[in-house]
Amino acid sequence: MTAQIIDGKALAQTIAAQCREQARALDRAPGLAVIIVGDNPASAVYVRNKQRACEEAGFYSQKIALPDSISEAELLAKVRALGEDSRIDGILVQLPLPPHISGARVTNAILPHKDVDGFHPQNIGALALGKDEGLAPCTPAGCIRLLESADVAVSGANAVIVGRSNIVGKPLALMMINRGATVTVCNSKTRDLAAVCGGADILVAAVGRAGLITGDMVKPGATVIDVGINRLPDGKKITGDVDFESAAKIAGHITPVPGGVGPMTIAMLLANTLRAAQAARAASAAA
Ligand code: NDP
């Protein structure tokens, strides 16, 4: 069997076009503020891509570049000021932050209705309660949209997520539970990873280890979602956590890297920013 490729790039373009269309219906463009601290080259690329996507969608975007030396108190003050700024509907603080700054305190300082990364405890709590998912983290939300686009049933599926981080594995597990999957979340201590993965109808790899998941770990016909981004030794090309060549021979559907989850993460950031903007306009109309 040769797997069908789920084209994240094409889906992301469709979602971005829908966001652009819906943004036009608002009295004012949705506004996103992106804070970047220090000069991590990977973070700089991510921020540039997010800003470019915003501009293409006709959103207002503001980049706030701060030095590594900034104190936590100064950064918190900046985040709170953006919370008061009516041009800004969404605030994103690019991770990682320097070690002297608490990522948790910074996330908590973002108003939940402007938390377009979906990491605030209130938004994660909404996922856990499972009623209204609110602003969900972008990468897991992107994985769900990829599954929907390929008509892969989540309800009733055995889903295995490799990786338990707060930004991918855990929130994705909650979203899949909410949709009726039977979910197993693996980590570095999981015994016999191959056997656990082999039971998955939907297998998600979110680890950060190139080629960890090989074809022999994939159940025939399963859907494989590769979240991993690993830089090859040439420093330019990226590859996923899944050994694409062997897995694609066994899987029913598979996402490529690049061109799978990556572009969807940015598309879901646009969708969250639009949603935050729509909610803000509705709230001010009701006031
Ligand atoms: P983290 O490093 O925070 O988490 C990695 C997880 O993988 C941990 O839970 C870790 O377990 C687990 N793990 C490590 N080794 C193994 C192993 N041998 N077997 C099973 N589990 C293992 O990473 P992130 O969640 O932030 O990111 C994961 C990957 O996804 C990275 O490549 C990252 O670049 C990529 N990513 C891609 C995005 C996109 O837009 N496409 C967005 C975000 C991330 P333990 O907890 O026990 O240490």
Side-chain angles (χ1 to χ4, degrees):
M1 181 190 292
T2 304
Q4 277 184 36
I5 292 176
I6 310 178
D7 186 345
K9 195 171 167 199
L11 180 59
Q13 281 168 354
T14 304
I15 291 170
Q18 288 165 350
C19 288
R20 188 168 49 231
E21 203 51 45
Q22 291 182 49
R24 279 211 200 104
L26 297 176
D27 57 336
R28 187 167 45 75
L32 175 71
V34 182
I35 298 181
I36 178 166
V37 181
D39 51 11
N40 180 324
S43 294
V45 172
Y46 293 141
V47 167
R48 206 176 311 131
N49 290 343
K50 288 168 186 175
Q51 275 211 293
R52 191 183 305 141
C54 267
E55 279 153 24
E56 284 170 8
F59 290 15
Y60 167 70
S61 86
Q62 210 180 85
K63 175 179 155 189
I64 297 133
L66 301 168
D68 244 335
S69 57
I70 191 164
S71 71
E72 186 179 292
E74 286 170 314
L75 178 56
L76 290 175
K78 189 76 218 167
V79 169
R80 290 194 187 107
L82 290 167
E84 301 288 313
D85 187 336
S86 59
R87 287 169 309 172
I88 300 300
D89 300 293
I91 303 167
L92 180 158
V93 180
Q94 185 65 42
L95 301 175
L97 289 167
H100 66 277
I101 297 178
S102 153
R105 273 197 287 274
V106 172
T107 301
N108 292 357
I110 298 174
L111 293 174
H113 62 272
K114 292 194 177 188
D115 168 40
V116 286
D117 247 344
F119 297 153
H120 190 283
Q122 188 171 311
N123 286 320
I124 294 292
L127 280 193
L129 294 173
K131 285 226 160 69
D132 171 14
E133 289 189 341
L135 293 171
C138 300
T139 302
C143 293
I144 297 288
R145 291 290 283 268
L146 285 164
L147 293 168
E148 287 171 355
S149 77
D151 282 330
V152 174
V154 176
S155 178
N158 285 333
V160 172
I161 301 167
V162 189
R164 57 170 163 172
S165 73
N166 288 337
I167 64 168
V168 188
K170 257 189 252 175
L172 181 58
L174 292 170
M175 294 179 87
M176 287 197 159
I177 289 168
N178 291 343
R179 287 162 179 74
T182 303
V183 181
T184 306
V185 183
C186 302
N187 59 63
S188 62
K189 293 162 188 74
T190 297
R191 275 177 275 146
D192 202 349
L193 184 67
V196 180
C197 292
D201 303 312
I202 299 171
L203 176 58
V204 182
V207 176
R209 278 190 55 186
L212 176 73
I213 306 296
T214 45
D216 55 338
M217 299 162 82
V218 175
K219 178 174 163 180
T223 299
V224 178
I225 305 286
D226 191 352
V227 180
I229 300 179
N230 307 290
R231 215 152 276 284
L232 289 171
D234 71 2
K236 291 190 187 116
K237 290 204 196 89
I238 58 163
T239 187
D241 290 343
V242 176
D243 176 43
F244 186 86
E245 211 183 302
S246 63
K249 289 191 181 126
I250 312 291
H253 290 90
I254 191 164
T255 61
V257 177
V261 177
M264 285 301 293
T265 297
I266 295 185
M268 298 322 291
L269 174 66
L270 293 180
N272 273 353
T273 305
L274 174 68
R275 188 173 169 173
Q278 287 167 331
R281 306 298 181 275
S284 59

